[in-house]
């Protein structure tokens, strides 16, 4: 049946009655604050610039264009502004920047060009990715007010540093100009520190709060004066700072999207077709309309792929009720029939795996072909070949997908935790026909991110439902099972690596073939640049196959799987050569001409030393090493580290990650080393789960593992008891920290299992496979310490 | 159907189906949103609160189970974040996204109330909440710090 249009209208009428006095917009900043902390909200006090408002009590409100999802961006972005502003860090309060204002205003001219990068990178790194301009931030950085509002690709520091530092510097210079104007003394005689301006000669002082009003009226300072500081001048950036939003988080006061309450709001529970590409054939609202609290039901189509970056999700149906639990229980009882594309229902993990394997036998898309791989294989002393696989993987952030949307005749309000608000603004406009300038996003913290909300259609669904209920705020919330349908997946993948070794065990030819679903992110993942470890003859090809699962940018994208392939294979080669895997890697890196090879060798050396590499270990315990680098094959920016994992396997086959030793470069400097440590600790757990527990399989076209009973996430008992992190300084800018910094957990656990049990596992995850072992001591397979 | 619940020391009359999971009564009827929904099937612990001092996964118990009992949520452990466990959590900068942390704190607090000086094995056995951000390393340290703070408060 179709939805009763009159029902919408009656709801709309009551709701709009409640809104006659205008919109009630909760102040997100207030909601995020700790009680007692002063947040500056008085619109009568002008801002210094679009990023900074200073109140008379010296509270500095810093507007953040990225979304806080646990990576610490509210703190690190604020640090970048405050470093230059030279304000009192204890009085800094972050607040989300307005995505609506971003639709209306262009970025100030002075943020578009960076006079100096803060420090000269010998490899030219540190240039912001400003070359491409894209209004929605997908394929480049917009030149709208807050520039890049996306939170992705571990790039918040890399891309934001320039204009955030510039914003701080611009405001500082205005404050100094205002004081100079007030006291009629030259600016050059003034100093600014911790929100206090001093004129030493006359002994006069003022505070930022006192002078802020005047500073706001001061003309833009001379561009010469707003250069950004180099890392050796930093006093705040580069120091460990606790995250500013943690006090609210330990009190349960942080407002996530799921916590938003708007007057007159109704709740929507939805079911989308569990087979992607499917739609609703019919549903029977009459069956449930009498249930308590139930208001209406609405069918929605497959969200327009133009709004979901080409991905095909599913059509579905929503039930709207007074509370979410009422909506959800009613929906569970509502009969729904699906229209499922038969070709999609025919997919299952086994036939998809077959298709990928068949892909590996094809020539594929040859991306690199150096030397003469085939000839070398023909005459090789030894050939090693291995085929690895990685499953589909969901992000499974803790906060289930949700969005609250109110559509009226010429305005859309959205309350959401969103990694890409500029895109959501665009979606809202496209779906409702209301211009982007009239779309207001009230951004909330996200309960985990790991990829733009799964690139999933939570916002698009909520906007479609609210658009059918104009005048009533609709809060859509997915069940966990629905969240597994609404997310995108890291593509399932396979790789075949084949190497020819010379008489001494060094690789003389390497062929790498990877296979992945078409559209999967990072099918080349740096294999297309270089093999990383030296080999004179190298060929890389990738192979894509069409499947129906929407794939997206899960943490680490293709890189995480590719690092598993590459580093696992290096361990296999070292064992085949009878050489120590640390020494083997070190030697092969030193033979390359990679731009960051010295940093890579240093990382390996430090990690090996930290871990006591080479010392005898108890039976049942083994160590494995790997490089963790991103961009290191290129001559641009890179982040380099190395890790040693100490792993035990009990005779019964229980795996334990005992200890992780990490040598991580800082580049010129990290912004907030505390957040980096937390990232590293968290990513160890993330990739441990990828290695041991997680897989999404497909049956009849549907995702099977759709809640945490089947999609396992480890508990505290599996966390490594010891994590040691040592930072070392290098001389370049870093590429980012947010996602692929502990991928080696995968290859290392696999290699430790091999060393201890003699079993070589090449399909992730390892959990659930028989890992038991017995005497005679299978550590015969272990690393021979030939140095 | 109305029934009464005592939450964080205040008695409330709830107008809802008494078999509604306690989580949704707490979140939707009482507006206490610190207690979180994640899995809805008792797997993750994000919805953990205390009933008579015991850690309970509130998504999986009907609200009427708590009638006549003392319910404590994250909002009830201190008015200002000054509970030793909150101080310890802040000291270690434990949360990342923070979404699991209310439940994590409530589980850890139940453990500390039962076992004021927990071993790592006690923590492993009792704090079985899921944290997708992987904050376990700091959670463990923070529990030990909280145990010490609580001990010194008791001695004062
Ligand atoms: S929401 Fe209750 S245990 Fe997950
Ligand atoms: S802090 Fe994000 S889920 Fe635990």
């Amino acid at each position: 049946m179709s939805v009763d249009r009159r029902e919408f209208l009656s709801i709309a009428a009551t709701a709009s009655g409640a809104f006659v006095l205008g919109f009630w917009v909760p102040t997100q900043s207030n909601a995020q604050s700790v009680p007692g902390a002063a947040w500056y909200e008085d619109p009568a006090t002008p801002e210094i610039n679009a990023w900074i408002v200073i109140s008379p009590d010296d509270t500095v409100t810093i507007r953040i264009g990225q979304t806080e999802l646990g990576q610490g961006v509210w703190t690190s972005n604020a640090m970048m502004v405050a470093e230059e502003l030279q304000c009192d860090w204890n009085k800094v309060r972050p607040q989300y920047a307005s995505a609506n204002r971003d639709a209306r205003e262009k970025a100030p001219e002075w943020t578009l060009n960076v006079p100096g990068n803060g420090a000269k990178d010998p490899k030219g790194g540190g240039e912001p990715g400003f070359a491409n301009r894209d209004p929605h931030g997908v394929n480049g950085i917009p030149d709208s007010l807050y520039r890049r509002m996306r939170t992705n690709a571990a790039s918040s520091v890399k891309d934001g540093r320039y204009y955030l530092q510039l914003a701080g510097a611009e405001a500082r210079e205005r404050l100094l100009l205002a004081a100079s104007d007030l006291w009629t003394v030259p600016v050059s005689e003034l100093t600014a520190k911790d929100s206090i301006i001093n004129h030493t000669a006359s002994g006069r002082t003022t505070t930022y709060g006192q002078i802020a009003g005047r500073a706001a009226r001061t003309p833009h300072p001379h561009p010469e004066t707003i250069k950004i500081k180099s890392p050796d001048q930093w006093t705040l950036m580069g120091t460990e700072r606790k995250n500013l939003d943690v006090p609210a988080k330990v009190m349960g006061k942080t407002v996530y999207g799921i916590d938003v309450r708007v007057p007159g709001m109704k709740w929507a529970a939805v079911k989308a077709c569990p087979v992607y590409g499917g739609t609703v054939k019919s549903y029977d609202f009459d069956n449930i309309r009498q249930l308590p609290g139930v208001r209406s039901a609405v069918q929605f189509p497959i969200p327009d792929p133009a709004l979901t970056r080409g991905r095909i999700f599913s059509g579905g149906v929503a039930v709207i009720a007074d509370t979410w639990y009422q909506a959800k229980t009613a929906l569970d009882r509502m009969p729904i029939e699906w229209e499922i594309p038969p070709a999609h229902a025919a997919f299952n993990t086994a036939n998809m795996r077959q298709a990928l394997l068949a892909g590996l036998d094809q020539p594929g898309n040859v991306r690199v072909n150096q030397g003469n791989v085939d000839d070398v294989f023909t005459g090789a002393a030894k050939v090693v070949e291995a085929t690895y696989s990685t499953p589909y993987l969901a992000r499974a952030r803790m906060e289930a997908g949700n969005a609250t949307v109110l559509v009226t005749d010429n305005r859309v309000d959205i309350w959401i935790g969103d990694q890409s608000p500029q895109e959501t603004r665009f979606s809202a406009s496209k779906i409702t026909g209301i211009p982007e300038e009239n779309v207001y996003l009230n951004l909330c913290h996200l309960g985990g991110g790991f990829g733009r909300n799964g690139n999933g259609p939570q916002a698009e669904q909520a906007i479609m439902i609210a658009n059918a209920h104009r005048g009533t705020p609709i809060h859509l919330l997915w069940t966990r099972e629905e969240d597994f349908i609404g997310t995108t997946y890291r593509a399932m993948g396979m790789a075949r690596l084949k190497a020819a070794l010379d008489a001494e065990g060094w690789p003389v030819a390497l062929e790498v073939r990877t296979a992945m679903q078409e559209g999967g992110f990072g099918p080349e993942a740096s294999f297309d640049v270089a093999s990383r470890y030296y080999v004179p003859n190298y060929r890389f090809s990738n192979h894509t196959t069409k499947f129906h699962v929407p794939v997206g940018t899960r943490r680490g994208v293709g890189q995480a799987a590719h690092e598993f392939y590459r580093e696992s294979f290096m361990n296999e080669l070292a064992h085949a050569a009878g050489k120590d895997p640390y020494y083997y890697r070190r030697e092969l890196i030193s033979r390359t001409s990679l731009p960051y090879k010295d940093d890579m060798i240093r990382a390996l050396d430090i990690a090996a030393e930290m871990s006591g590499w080479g010392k005898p270990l108890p039976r049942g315990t083994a160590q494995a090493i790997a490089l963790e680098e991103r961009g290191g094959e290129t001559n641009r920016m890179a982040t380099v580290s190395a890790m040693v994992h100490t792993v035990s396997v009990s005779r019964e086959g229980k795996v334990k990650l005992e200890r992780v030793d990490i040598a991580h470069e800082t580049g010129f400097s990290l912004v907030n080393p505390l957040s980096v440590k937390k990232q590293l600790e968290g990513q160890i757990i993330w990739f441990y789960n990828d290695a041991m527990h997680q897989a999404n399989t497909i049956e009849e076209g549907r995702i099977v593992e759709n809640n945490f009973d089947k999609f396992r996430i480890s508990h505290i008992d599996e966390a490594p008891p010891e994590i040691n992190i040592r930072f070392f300084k290098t001389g370049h800018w870093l590429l980012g920290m947010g996602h692929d910094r502990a991928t080696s957990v995968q290859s290392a656990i696999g290699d430790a299992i091999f060393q201890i049990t003699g079993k070589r596992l090449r399909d992730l995850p390892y959990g659930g496979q028989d890992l038991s072992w017995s005497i005679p001591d299978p550590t015969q397979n272990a690393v021979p310490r030939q140095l | 159907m109305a029934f009464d619940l005592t939450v964080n020391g205040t008695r409330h009359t709830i107008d809802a189906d008494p078999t509604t999971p306690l989580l949704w009564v707490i979140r939707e009827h009482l507006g206490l949103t610190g207690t979180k929904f994640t899995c809805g099937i008792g797997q993750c612990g994000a919805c953990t609160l205390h009933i008579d001092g015991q850690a309970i996964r509130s998504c999986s118990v009907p609200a009427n189970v708590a009638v006549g009992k003392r319910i404590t949520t994250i909002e009830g452990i201190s008015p200002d974040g000054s509970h030793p466990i909150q101080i310890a959590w802040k000291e270690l900068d434990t949360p990342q996204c923070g979404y699991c942390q209310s439940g994590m704190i409530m589980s850890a607090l139940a453990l500390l109330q039962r076992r004021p000086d927990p071993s790592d094995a006690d923590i492993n056995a009792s704090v079985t909440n899921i944290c997708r951000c992987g904050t376990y390393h700091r959670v463990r340290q923070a529990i030990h710090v909280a145990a010490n703070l609580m001990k010194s408060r008791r001695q004062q």
Side-chain angles (χ1 to χ4, degrees):
Chain A
M1 65 151 279
S2 68
V3 180
D4 185 346
R5 177 76 191 153
R6 277 167 309 165
E7 227 156 34
F8 295 158
L9 294 177
S10 65
I11 300 164
T14 26
S16 53
F19 283 95
V20 285
L21 296 178
F23 292 95
W24 177 79
V25 179
T27 52
Q28 180 59 30
S29 51
N30 273 329
Q32 299 292 10
S33 77
V34 181
W39 286 76
Y40 200 63
E41 282 298 317
D42 178 5
T45 293
E47 60 191 27
I48 312 291
N49 60 38
W51 286 266
I52 297 161
V53 177
I54 302 175
S55 74
D57 70 356
D58 289 335
T59 301
V60 176
T61 300
I62 297 181
R63 294 179 181 142
I64 309 293
Q66 266 73 43
T67 300
E68 177 62 56
L69 37 85
Q71 83 285 44
V73 75
W74 254 33
T75 306
S76 53
N77 273 15
M79 286 170 79
M80 295 188 272
V81 175
E83 172 68 54
E84 299 286 351
L85 185 57
Q86 295 166 200
C87 62
D88 181 352
W89 177 248
N90 296 316
K91 292 189 176 163
V92 166
R93 300 285 179 267
Q95 179 184 62
Y96 280 113
S98 163
N100 173 265
R101 201 169 150 189
D102 180 75
R104 295 167 181 264
E105 293 176 40
K106 285 271 167 259
E109 197 51 40
W110 49 268
T111 64
L112 296 181
N113 299 303
V114 185
N117 297 326
K120 184 120 188 69
D121 187 322
K123 299 185 177 64
E127 287 293 344
F130 288 175
N132 300 324
R133 296 270 160 85
D134 174 348
H136 305 114
V138 179
N139 299 313
I141 297 177
D143 56 6
S144 53
L145 181 60
Y146 291 112
R147 311 300 308 273
R148 177 182 176 281
M149 290 189 79
R150 275 179 103 197
T151 307
N152 74 322
S155 296
S156 297
V157 170
K158 175 173 83 69
D159 289 342
R161 186 171 60 81
Y162 315 90
Y163 51 86
L164 292 176
Q165 284 190 252
L166 284 171
E170 204 263 0
R172 179 197 67 226
E173 289 306 312
R174 276 183 193 262
L175 289 156
L176 287 171
L177 280 175
S180 126
D181 184 50
L182 179 69
W183 297 332
T184 53
V185 297
V187 180
S188 58
E189 290 177 11
L190 300 176
T191 57
K193 192 168 182 264
D194 293 338
S195 301
I196 294 168
I197 297 175
N198 255 306
H199 183 243
T200 320
S202 65
R204 272 178 294 199
T205 66
T206 187
T207 70
Y208 281 8
Q210 286 163 16
I211 206 90
R214 188 181 278 262
R217 296 189 303 271
T218 300
H220 179 60
H222 193 280
E224 283 285 286
T225 62
I226 52 171
K227 288 200 181 72
I228 64 178
K229 295 179 186 175
S230 61
D232 55 3
Q233 298 169 305
W234 296 354
T235 57
L236 178 66
M237 289 166 80
T239 63
E240 288 204 355
R241 294 290 153 171
K242 289 188 179 137
N243 278 268
L244 296 170
D245 57 354
V246 159
K249 283 175 175 168
V250 302
M251 298 199 318
K253 288 218 155 44
T254 298
V255 177
Y256 302 87
I258 193 176
D259 302 324
V260 166
R261 303 289 183 268
V262 182
M265 182 181 92
K266 301 296 170 206
W267 288 87
V270 307
K271 280 192 179 172
C273 182
V275 180
Y276 295 110
T279 51
V280 175
K281 187 190 281 176
S282 68
Y283 65 97
D284 186 3
F285 181 55
D286 284 339
N287 209 285
I288 59 156
R289 68 188 318 144
Q290 301 310 329
L291 292 176
V294 170
R295 300 274 169 158
S296 61
V298 56
Q299 185 177 336
F300 56 85
I302 295 173
D304 180 357
L307 306 179
T308 55
R309 293 191 230 159
R311 298 182 185 105
I312 313 282
F313 289 94
S314 292
V317 57
V319 167
I320 288 87
D322 293 343
T323 71
W324 183 76
Y325 193 71
Q326 289 170 331
K328 185 237 173 220
T329 42
L331 177 61
D332 283 344
R333 289 172 58 178
M334 186 169 79
I336 306 170
E337 268 196 87
W338 303 112
E339 186 78 56
I340 297 173
H344 293 187
F347 281 118
N348 59 54
T349 299
N351 65 28
M352 295 163 102
R353 188 183 160 97
Q354 259 345 92
L356 291 174
L357 266 174
L360 291 179
D361 293 332
Q362 304 299 315
N365 176 10
V366 178
R367 294 183 169 249
V368 188
N369 199 356
Q370 290 161 354
N372 196 335
V373 172
D374 294 324
D375 285 0
V376 178
F377 272 116
T378 317
K382 193 173 201 174
V383 173
V384 181
E385 184 182 310
T387 303
Y388 303 92
S389 77
T390 53
Y392 280 113
L393 284 171
R395 301 169 178 77
R397 64 178 161 112
M398 292 292 275
E399 183 184 9
N402 67 84
T404 306
V405 182
L406 170 61
V407 182
T408 50
D409 283 346
N410 200 27
R411 176 172 165 134
V412 185
D413 281 85
I414 303 177
W415 293 262
I416 189 172
D418 195 330
Q419 283 182 245
S420 196
Q422 288 154 330
E423 269 183 282
T424 300
R425 196 178 67 204
F426 178 68
S427 286
S429 171
K430 278 284 169 224
I431 293 169
T432 63
I434 293 168
E436 279 191 63
E437 293 73 33
N438 293 356
V439 177
Y440 291 78
L441 272 90
N442 305 276
L443 296 170
C444 306
H445 278 20
L446 254 177
F450 319 119
R452 184 231 166 180
N453 308 330
N455 309 98
Q458 57 176 9
E460 287 75 17
Q461 283 184 7
I463 296 162
M464 289 192 281
I465 297 164
N467 197 36
H469 291 79
R470 287 198 173 197
T472 301
I474 300 290
H475 192 143
L476 167 144
L477 170 62
W478 285 338
T479 57
R480 175 55 48 185
E481 290 78 6
E482 199 58 31
D483 195 81
F484 272 88
I485 295 174
T487 192
T488 59
Y489 286 78
R490 191 182 82 197
M492 179 180 176
M494 302 196 77
R496 183 176 299 148
L497 288 84
K498 189 174 156 192
L501 304 185
D502 67 15
E504 287 183 16
W506 302 111
V508 284
L510 175 67
E511 165 152 44
V512 178
R513 295 182 172 200
T514 61
M516 201 187 243
Q517 173 175 347
E518 190 179 279
F521 275 72
E524 65 289 341
S526 80
F527 274 125
D528 61 332
V529 185
S531 57
R532 177 180 300 160
Y533 297 102
Y534 179 74
V535 62
N537 302 283
Y538 173 57
R539 183 162 63 216
F540 168 63
S541 56
N542 74 293
H543 308 253
T544 54
T545 313
K546 266 198 191 340
F547 298 137
H548 70 307
V549 178
V551 287
T553 54
R554 183 185 188 263
R555 195 177 213 177
V557 295
Q559 187 88 17
H562 288 58
E563 291 304 329
F564 161 65
Y565 307 146
R566 185 196 326 248
E567 294 292 337
S568 296
F569 195 59
M570 283 313 296
N571 290 330
E572 296 207 40
L573 293 188
H575 297 319
K579 295 190 192 303
D580 179 301
Y582 155 49
Y583 170 69
Y584 199 68
R585 284 178 169 80
R586 195 185 192 285
E587 173 61 25
L588 289 175
I589 292 293
S590 71
R591 292 184 187 184
T592 68
S593 52
L594 290 174
Y596 292 96
K597 73 181 223 187
D598 294 342
D599 299 333
M600 292 177 184
I601 290 171
R602 243 175 108 195
L604 286 169
D605 289 348
I606 296 171
E609 187 232 301
M610 287 169 77
S611 68
W613 183 269
K615 294 215 181 85
L617 294 164
R619 187 183 282 182
T621 302
Q623 288 183 324
I625 192 167
L627 267 172
E628 297 270 359
E629 52 93 350
R630 180 169 178 238
E633 290 83 11
T634 67
N635 198 18
R636 301 189 301 270
M637 289 167 91
T639 306
V640 175
S641 61
M643 292 196 183
V644 174
H645 302 272
T646 306
V647 180
S648 67
V649 183
S650 73
R651 298 201 186 241
E652 297 71 41
K654 196 170 174 344
V655 173
K656 173 88 186 157
L657 180 55
E658 302 282 356
R659 165 175 170 171
V660 184
D661 291 279
I662 307 169
H664 202 291
E665 67 164 337
T666 62
F668 285 129
S669 175
L670 302 170
V671 173
N672 186 358
L674 178 59
S675 286
V676 172
K677 285 181 185 165
K678 289 168 65 176
Q679 272 297 310
L680 291 169
E681 292 159 5
Q683 289 185 48
I684 288 167
I685 305 296
W686 180 273
F687 289 107
Y688 172 84
N689 277 302
D690 283 9
M692 291 303 299
H693 297 313
Q694 294 177 355
N696 288 102
T697 59
I698 314 288
E699 263 172 36
E700 294 179 356
R702 327 174 168 220
I703 301 285
V704 176
E705 297 77 11
N706 64 353
N707 205 330
F708 298 149
D709 50 346
K710 289 173 271 188
F711 188 83
R712 249 188 88 190
I713 299 174
S714 62
H715 297 171
I716 200 167
D717 61 331
E718 291 182 72
E722 193 177 340
I723 298 175
N724 304 308
I725 300 171
R726 199 185 295 169
F727 291 127
F728 63 99
K729 196 164 156 43
T730 48
H732 60 99
W733 288 114
L734 294 191
L735 193 51
M737 288 304 311
H739 59 205
D740 51 8
R741 304 281 80 231
T743 59
S744 61
V745 179
Q746 307 168 99
S747 57
I749 291 181
D751 199 57
I753 289 170
F754 171 72
Q755 292 180 50
I756 295 163
T757 72
K759 298 174 186 178
R760 173 57 73 185
L761 305 181
R762 300 193 179 95
D763 299 312
L764 291 185
Y766 304 123
Q769 311 191 42
D770 177 17
L771 304 177
S772 62
W773 55 279
S774 55
I775 316 186
D777 182 9
T779 53
Q780 298 307 339
N781 298 299
V783 185
R785 304 293 181 189
Q786 176 201 326
L787 286 171
Chain B
M1 221 180 311
F3 57 99
D4 282 3
L5 287 182
T6 304
V7 182
N8 301 331
T10 308
R11 204 180 163 97
H12 302 270
T13 300
I14 315 283
D15 184 19
D17 178 345
T19 64
T20 304
L22 180 57
L23 169 66
W24 296 106
V25 170
I26 296 285
R27 286 186 59 85
E28 305 210 78
H29 295 267
L30 299 178
L32 293 169
T33 55
T35 308
K36 294 297 193 242
F37 163 71
T38 289
C39 71
I41 57 166
Q43 286 285 324
C44 73
C47 62
T48 305
L49 44 69
H50 292 186
I51 300 179
D52 284 347
Q54 262 206 308
I56 300 290
R57 295 190 171 177
S58 64
C59 67
S60 300
V61 295
N64 57 10
V65 161
V67 170
K69 305 201 163 135
R70 249 175 335 109
I71 301 171
T72 310
T73 68
I74 184 75
E75 291 90 346
I77 68 172
S78 81
D80 52 2
S82 61
H83 190 286
I85 198 164
Q86 291 169 313
I87 292 172
W89 244 247
K90 287 186 268 193
E91 187 54 36
L92 272 296
D93 208 42
T94 304
Q96 289 190 27
C97 82
Y99 195 83
C100 72
Q101 298 289 335
S102 300
M104 195 70 87
I105 287 172
M106 296 310 282
S107 292
L109 184 58
L111 168 65
L112 287 165
Q113 285 167 348
R114 209 171 61 240
R115 227 172 254 259
D117 197 7
S119 66
D120 282 339
D122 294 332
I123 294 171
N124 289 349
S126 297
V127 184
T128 54
N129 300 45
I130 286 173
C131 173
R132 189 61 170 138
C133 298
T135 60
Y136 300 129
H137 193 63
R138 282 170 199 270
V139 166
R140 185 184 297 284
Q141 295 174 61
I143 293 172
H144 290 307
V145 170
N148 285 332
L149 286 174
M150 286 165 82
K151 197 188 302 166
S152 54
R153 274 207 194 172
R154 276 192 302 274
Q155 283 159 359
Q156 273 163 22

